[in-house]
């Protein structure tokens, strides 16, 4: 059997056994939801509701605040209690949040459009926009923009990212098993929007049941299901594109530069739900997992549900719980409070037990980080240049090509924290250059 892959990468313990066999359960909507106006990449949405407004499930509560922005919808039927400020886990500072109290069972405000097969690509794109769909793999980039490349860019290939290479997380695996038909219908819709010739679903070899199931579901379609080597970061866009098409996205470029668009499994299912079922994005599936959670599971939760509510439904934390992560351990964000609500891009909550703090040592020039870097960079050098504030030299050495996957820090025997320094160096460089790359 052929396993497609890329050069470099690593093999962290997968830890998927904690939740991979747990079917997705639907969580009851909580009494309060906290919906950040910044629930996507780009400008925060502008609120179109005020304190005291009665809202239906799916009703628009925020409109795009700029070109790169997205619609927001009420995840419950209830009353807007206030527009407050709360710590935003991605922005790292307090941001505006719409607090809605649920007062009733769901009374839906659905999207309004005709049978999707009669609609043009422009009309389909408008539905994706109106539904507030963003990249649900974590990037939260507005999907209607990604599916609408500028004039002169032709997309011939659409790839569904079913790699789920992040340790611990299992929700995409479950979705591919439980919602394969919806996924394939979503692929058909996206292909029509992009006018793409070819569509692939890429799945890592540690999800053979999902691979075999989707192979059967796709047997009579033009969607090709391909098997990827289980290796981190197989699901990073550039690595995935290379593994499947052998096309290399140029440094500073985008997948569309090589004729490809990639979307995560759940994003494609959300597109199907918007276009076929007329449902805006008000909920998502995610994994609650880790050695320090009592009952690891996969759930569908409303956007704006707090981590506390998720931890509670998963049986609470164990006594040795020490680290709380939104997402998985390689690319997730460590948080230290439970009142933070999930965003559209939150693919998991991972609770890890106490571990001995690794002893950091000086670099021993072993080159492990160089050999493993999937972007062919010299992480030890970027770390050095960043620490010495030699920003231009760091850029010359490929700073901006770093995808912040964390492989270098993971493999380093000296436990050097390259990614923290690289991220900071990028931020400072961009600030010094007035935000220009
Ligand atoms: S330098 Fe960047 S791309 Fe390379 S391994 Fe480290 S984090 Fe990943
Ligand atoms: S892996 Fe760590 S010790 Fe080895 S060269 Fe890279 S930074 Fe130095």
């Amino acid at each position: 059997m052929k396993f497609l892959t890329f050069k470099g990468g690593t093999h962290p313990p997968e830890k998927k056994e904690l939740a991979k066999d747990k079917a997705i359960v639907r969580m009851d909507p909580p009494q309060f939801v906290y919906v950040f106006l910044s629930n996507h990449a780009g400008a925060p949405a502008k609120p179109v509701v005020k304190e005291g407004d009665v809202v239906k499930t799916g009703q628009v509560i925020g409109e795009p605040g700029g070109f790169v922005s997205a619609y927001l919808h009420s995840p419950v039927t209830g009353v807007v209690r206030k527009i407050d400020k709360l710590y935003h886990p991605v922005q790292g500072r307090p941001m505006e949040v719409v607090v809605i109290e649920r007062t009733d069972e769901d009374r839906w405000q659905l999207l309004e459009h005709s049978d999707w097969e009669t609609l043009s690509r422009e009309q389909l794109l408008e539905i994706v926009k109106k539904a507030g769909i963003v990249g649900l793999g974590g990037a939260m980039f507005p999907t209607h923009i990604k599916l609408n490349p500028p004039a002169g860019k032709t997309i011939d290939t659409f790839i569904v990212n079913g790699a789920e290479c992040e340790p611990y997380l299992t929700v995409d695996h479950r979705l591919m098993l439980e919602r394969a038909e919806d996924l394939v219908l979503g692929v058909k819709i996206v292909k029509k929007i992009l006018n793409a010739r070819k569509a692939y679903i890429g799945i890592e070899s540690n999800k053979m049941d999902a691979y075999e199931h989707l192979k059967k579901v796709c047997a009579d379609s033009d969607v090709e299901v391909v098997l990827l080597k289980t290796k981190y970061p197989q699901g990073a866009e550039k690595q995935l594109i290379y593994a499947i098409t052998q096309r290399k996205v140029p440094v500073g470029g985008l997948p569309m530069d090589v004729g490809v668009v990639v979307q995560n499994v759940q994003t494609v299912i959300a597109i199907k739900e918007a276009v076929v079922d007329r449902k805006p994005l008000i909920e998502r599936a995610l994994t609650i997992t880790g050695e320090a959670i009592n009952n690891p599971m996969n759930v569908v939760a409303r956007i704006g549900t707090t981590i506390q509510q998720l931890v509670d439904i998963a049986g609470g934390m164990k006594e040795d719980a020490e680290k709380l992560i939104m997402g998985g351990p390689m690319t997730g964000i460590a948080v230290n409070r439970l009142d933070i609500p999930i965003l559209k891009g939150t693919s998991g909550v991972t609770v890890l037990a106490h571990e001995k703090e690794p002893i950091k040592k000086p670099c021993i020039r072993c080159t492990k980080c160089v050999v493993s870097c999937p972007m062919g960079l010299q992480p030890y050098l970027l770390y050095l240049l960043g620490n010495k504030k030699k920003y231009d030299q760091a850029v010359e050495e490929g700073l901006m090509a770093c995808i912040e996957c964390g492989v270098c820090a993971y493999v380093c025997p000296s436990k050097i924290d390259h990614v923290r320094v690289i991220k900071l160096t990028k931020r400072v460089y961009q600030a010094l250059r007035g935000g220009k790359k």
Side-chain angles (χ1 to χ4, degrees):
M1 199 170 269
K2 195 175 163 200
F3 299 105
L4 306 175
T5 195
F6 62 96
K7 197 161 167 259
T10 188
H11 299 273
E14 294 171 25
K15 304 281 185 177
K16 306 248 185 203
E17 64 286 354
L18 292 170
K20 77 178 176 58
D21 298 321
K22 309 272 186 79
I24 299 170
V25 294
R26 181 168 287 278
M27 189 176 163
D28 286 339
Q31 192 188 347
F32 285 93
V33 286
Y34 305 82
V35 187
F36 278 115
L37 291 170
S38 181
N39 233 296
H40 44 262
K46 286 184 293 194
V48 294
V49 287
K50 57 183 185 326
E51 200 175 307
D53 282 359
V54 175
V55 286
K56 287 184 179 174
T57 306
Q59 182 175 330
V60 172
I61 58 170
E63 288 181 345
F67 176 70
V68 180
S69 188
Y71 279 93
L72 269 185
H73 305 79
S74 175
V76 293
T77 296
V79 180
V80 175
R81 289 299 176 209
K82 57 182 164 180
I83 298 179
D84 207 352
K85 282 207 168 179
L86 195 61
Y87 177 81
H88 192 293
V90 177
Q91 305 292 338
R93 60 193 161 96
M95 301 276 288
E96 279 191 313
V97 69
V98 183
V99 183
I100 305 171
E101 181 175 6
R102 178 174 173 256
T103 54
D104 213 338
E105 294 302 308
D106 283 329
R107 279 182 289 115
W108 275 88
Q109 184 157 322
L110 295 170
L111 300 164
E112 288 177 13
H113 54 261
S114 348
D115 175 15
W116 78 271
E117 286 183 288
T118 64
L119 302 176
S120 67
R121 72 172 290 275
E122 287 75 21
Q123 288 169 315
L124 292 171
L125 269 175
E126 190 60 17
I127 295 169
V128 173
K129 180 178 179 181
K130 285 278 166 62
I133 298 173
V134 303
L136 299 179
M140 297 196 290
F141 190 79
T143 303
H144 65 280
I145 302 175
K146 205 169 170 186
L147 294 183
N148 192 21
K153 299 274 182 207
T154 307
I155 305 299
D156 62 9
T157 303
F158 174 53
I159 297 177
V160 178
N161 186 353
E164 200 169 49
C165 62
E166 179 77 35
Y168 287 90
L169 304 186
T170 55
V171 70
D172 288 348
H173 184 177
R174 292 307 314 174
L175 286 168
M176 289 188 284
L177 284 171
E178 297 176 31
R179 306 219 27 209
E181 285 79 8
D182 287 341
L183 175 62
V184 176
L185 183 47
V187 174
K188 200 170 160 191
I189 295 165
V190 175
K191 263 189 86 189
K192 179 172 173 179
I193 294 175
L194 292 171
N195 197 20
R197 197 168 36 82
K198 186 80 202 164
Y200 298 95
I201 302 176
I203 305 175
E204 271 194 350
S205 57
N206 60 358
K207 298 179 252 304
M208 283 308 287
D209 50 356
Y211 169 75
E212 274 153 19
H213 180 55
L214 270 162
K215 272 282 225 200
K216 275 189 213 140
V217 174
C218 293
D220 297 324
S221 78
D222 56 358
V223 181
E224 191 174 339
V225 186
V226 292
L227 206 50
L228 306 161
K229 189 168 177 180
T230 300
K231 184 168 69 167
Y232 182 85
Q234 185 62 78
E237 269 192 351
K238 289 174 182 171
Q239 284 59 37
L240 184 67
I241 292 168
Y242 179 77
I244 296 178
T245 67
Q246 282 74 58
R247 297 180 197 173
K248 282 188 180 169
V249 179
V251 173
L254 292 168
M256 69 171 79
D257 297 327
V258 294
V260 181
V261 164
V262 179
Q263 292 287 356
N264 159 268
V265 165
Q266 192 161 176
T267 313
V268 180
I269 294 174
I271 292 170
K272 180 266 167 186
E273 287 188 339
V275 168
V276 179
D277 310 324
R278 298 190 289 134
K279 277 177 74 178
L281 183 68
I282 57 126
E283 62 187 12
R284 67 157 297 140
L286 72 160
T287 308
I288 313 166
T289 186
E291 283 87 356
I293 199 90
N294 278 312
N295 181 23
M297 64 198 300
N298 300 290
V299 295
V300 171
R302 303 289 165 109
I303 306 301
T305 300
T306 62
I307 296 179
Q308 178 74 67
Q309 289 155 341
L310 292 166
V311 165
D312 287 347
I313 196 177
M317 294 190 214
K318 295 182 184 168
E319 271 184 11
D320 59 352
E322 182 159 291
K323 194 169 182 187
L324 185 60
I325 305 168
M326 283 182 94
M330 296 298 279
T331 56
I333 299 167
V335 290
N336 59 7
R337 46 197 285 183
L338 292 163
D339 62 347
I340 297 175
I342 58 161
L343 300 160
K344 290 181 179 179
T346 308
S347 46
V349 170
T350 307
V351 188
L352 300 178
H354 175 73
E355 264 183 19
K356 247 176 51 194
E357 199 57 39
I359 301 164
K360 292 185 181 158
K361 296 186 204 135
C363 172
I364 53 169
R365 299 287 156 105
C366 67
T367 72
K368 277 190 181 167
C369 57
V370 180
V371 174
S372 307
C373 174
M375 295 305 293
L377 304 172
Q378 302 188 67
Y380 76 89
L381 186 57
L382 295 177
Y383 176 82
L384 210 71
L385 293 170
N387 271 339
K388 289 189 171 171
K389 301 188 173 34
K390 295 193 170 175
Y391 305 118
D392 289 330
Q393 220 176 315
V395 170
E396 278 165 31
E397 293 294 339
L399 176 76
M400 291 307 181
C402 169
I403 57 170
E404 299 172 13
C405 64
V407 165
C408 46
Y410 179 77
V411 298
C412 177
S414 296
K415 298 295 163 212
I416 287 170
D417 189 2
H418 309 74
V419 194
R420 184 184 55 79
V421 173
I422 288 173
K423 278 185 184 172
L424 191 66
T425 312
K426 278 185 182 177
R427 272 220 297 275
V428 175
Y429 175 78
Q430 280 169 335
L432 290 175
R433 296 276 147 155
K436 288 181 199 139
K437 284 186 187 178

